[in-house]
Amino acid sequence: MNVVIGGTGIGVSTTTEFEEILRLQYAGFIEADSAQSIQLTVELTPPLTLDPDADIQVRGEGSRWTMERGDFHASYDSATRVGKVWQSASRQSLDSVIRIIHSLTLAEETGFLLHAASAIRGDRAFLFSGKSGAGKTTISSLAPPDVHLLTDEVSYVRNVSGRWTAFGTPFAGELARPGENRSARVEALYLLRHGSENRTELLSAASAARSILRNVLFFADDANLTRRVFDTICAFVEAVPVLELSFLPDAGVWELIH
Amino acid sequence: MSEIYPKRAANMAARVFRGEAIIMNPADSTLFNLNETATAIWLAADGRTALRSIVERDILPAFHVDREDALRDAGQFAEDLARHAILTLRTEPEAE
């Protein structure tokens, strides 16, 4: 089974039963004929612990990475792009490993994963970033029919030939459904804030970079890759307008998004 | 008052946007935002120039602030950044 997100394929080898579960999880992102740039073998084990909310630990030595949380253990070699996961038959556990691997891959490819909803309107993508409770699910659920939702939880952004591009992801939040497998050039990023009216305010690049860096998903304890993520975000805010979006929970907020 | 010679830490990730620096310690992802005066001091912190000279050369002409206030604020700022390992402070200038 080949799960392709942002043009990067992860070939997952596991039991037939677990693969059936994963086919539902990643519906719309499975491409049988696409090149598998990453190979991941999932070995199912009894549950490791009962604490899937424990902190994720990602440590690297050269190209070899180990990833651990209460519910999984994984190894991954970013040079050979081969990895192995030990976990129970939990789609959430594998989803976390796949997010980590994408965050490592993107860090080396001028891209990033962001706590953000994202959507395409017209031919441009818009990102809506914020921590839990900021309104990612709310603004996603208020989207009018002409909007294609890329995700309500974790956005995938990469610089493609000099253009910042957002891709759909299957990483779902409270809407509990995968985004559409589409991509478009990023027009703007909005930092969400609940307010008493719908309005936007353009942020300075420094303020924008600080806010975005706090919402980037990056787990690795690696100074060089962290520096690359920092440089990527700085380049992003120099090219893409970042605005604070205060909004009421009504569909009128989408009149500001164009 | 003895001279202090501040020097920027080499291992930080940093970018200056319109005169304001954003600095990150990649070892622990700690973020710092500096205002324009702090950024001017941080940029001039080469380990060879005394903090007093930086204030007199770069801060007073550009920001029109009281000299004693500027020196006091610069000293506190340098100590704050040194606590976060963004600057190192020496009592002697670094050799050229």
Side-chain angles (χ1 to χ4, degrees), chain A residues 205 210 223 226-227 230 234 238, chain B residues 11-12 14-15 17 24 26 33:
Chain A
R210 182 182 64 231
T226 302
R227 186 186 298 272
F230 176 89
C234 289
E238 287 179 323
Chain B
N11 56 341
M12 297 291 150
R15 187 77 66 102
F17 296 104
M24 188 176 71
N33 271 60

Side-chain angles (χ1 to χ4, degrees), chain A residues 204-207 209-211 213-214 221-224 226-227 229-235 237-238, chain B residues 10-18 20-34:
Chain A
S204 71
S207 180
R210 182 182 64 231
S211 298
L213 281 163
R214 288 181 174 144
D221 183 14
D222 182 282
N224 287 332
T226 302
R227 186 186 298 272
V229 172
F230 176 89
D231 290 339
T232 294
I233 298 302
C234 289
V237 301
E238 287 179 323
Chain B
N11 56 341
M12 297 291 150
R15 187 77 66 102
V16 178
F17 296 104
R18 297 189 177 205
E20 295 185 6
I22 177 168
I23 302 170
M24 188 176 71
N25 185 345
D28 59 10
S29 299
T30 315
L31 278 172
F32 304 89
N33 271 60
L34 307 187

Side-chain angles (χ1 to χ4, degrees), chain A residues 33-48:
Chain A
D33 298 331
S34 182
Q36 299 175 7
S37 63
I38 294 169
Q39 287 291 340
L40 205 55
T41 302
V42 181
E43 186 170 315
L44 299 183
T45 66
L48 298 178

Side-chain angles (χ1 to χ4, degrees), chain B residues 4 6-7 10 20-21 23 34 40 51 53 63 70 79 82-83 94-95:
Chain B
I4 294 173
K7 183 178 183 182
E20 295 185 6
I23 302 170
L34 307 187
L51 182 59
S53 301
F63 298 98
E79 288 177 8
R83 271 195 290 275
E94 192 173 270

Side-chain angles (χ1 to χ4, degrees), chain B residues 22 24 31 35 37-38 42-44 50 59-61 65 70 81 85-86 91 93:
Chain B
I22 177 168
M24 188 176 71
L31 278 172
N35 63 21
T37 51
W42 177 76
L43 286 172
I59 304 301
L60 297 181
V65 288
L81 289 197
I86 291 173
T91 54

Side-chain angles (χ1 to χ4, degrees), chain A residues 134-152:
Chain A
K136 299 188 296 292
T137 303
T138 302
I139 202 152
S140 300
S141 62
L142 293 170
D146 66 316
V147 169
H148 299 279
L149 192 63
L150 297 175
T151 174
D152 71 324

